[in-house]
Amino acid sequence: SQVVLTSLTAEQRCDTPGNKPVLDALPTTPATVVDGVFLADAYLLFECELHSVLDHFGPNSLIVGEIVAAHVRRGYDRSSEVDEQRLVFEHPLLAYINPGRYAVIKESLAFPFPAGFSK
């Protein structure tokens, strides 16, 4: 349900660092450790501090950060008491498929690891 909102937040920043006017029009909630905001209905939130930006990947860059705080909405966290398939079905995952497509994942299957294989 948040694909359009998420894509809007991916717009390039304006000339002023940290300024994204589109965020003024979207429902947000503040971060607790870093200076930033999240979409209000997000269920997994990572607050990150920038470590480095690596260029030389053609027109792209690799941005490296450190997670300094993580938040998971109640009912979305994985635990041994929760059936994995039910969790994925009730809270589908979003996957980006290059170029320019996405998929909603509502079904998963246990991987048949060989005996003695460590996960």
Side-chain angles (χ1 to χ4, degrees), residues 1-116:
S1 66
Q2 289 191 344
V3 173
V4 173
L5 294 180
T6 303
S7 68
L8 288 172
T9 64
E11 76 174 356
Q12 291 186 356
R13 296 183 186 274
C14 295
D15 294 335
T16 308
N19 183 22
K20 276 193 172 184
V22 71
L23 292 177
D24 295 334
L26 299 174
T28 60
T29 185
T32 60
V33 176
V34 301
D35 181 25
V37 296
F38 298 106
L39 286 177
D41 291 333
Y43 60 86
L44 177 61
L45 311 169
F46 291 138
E47 297 186 47
C48 302
E49 290 181 350
L50 179 64
H51 177 272
S52 57
V53 178
L54 306 171
D55 292 320
H56 312 295
F57 293 94
N60 303 307
S61 298
L62 177 63
I63 301 171
V64 180
E66 177 184 356
I67 297 174
V68 294
H71 314 277
V72 180
R73 188 188 304 173
R74 184 180 304 265
Y76 286 74
D77 55 330
R78 294 174 182 257
S79 69
S80 59
E81 295 86 35
V82 177
D83 175 51
E84 293 286 326
Q85 173 55 32
R86 183 178 181 139
L87 181 66
V88 172
F89 182 78
E90 291 177 355
H91 308 294
L93 303 171
L94 183 66
Y96 179 75
I97 303 171
N98 193 39
R101 300 192 60 77
Y102 72 93
V104 177
I105 302 169
K106 292 185 76 164
E107 181 181 9
S108 69
L109 304 170
F111 191 83
F113 288 106

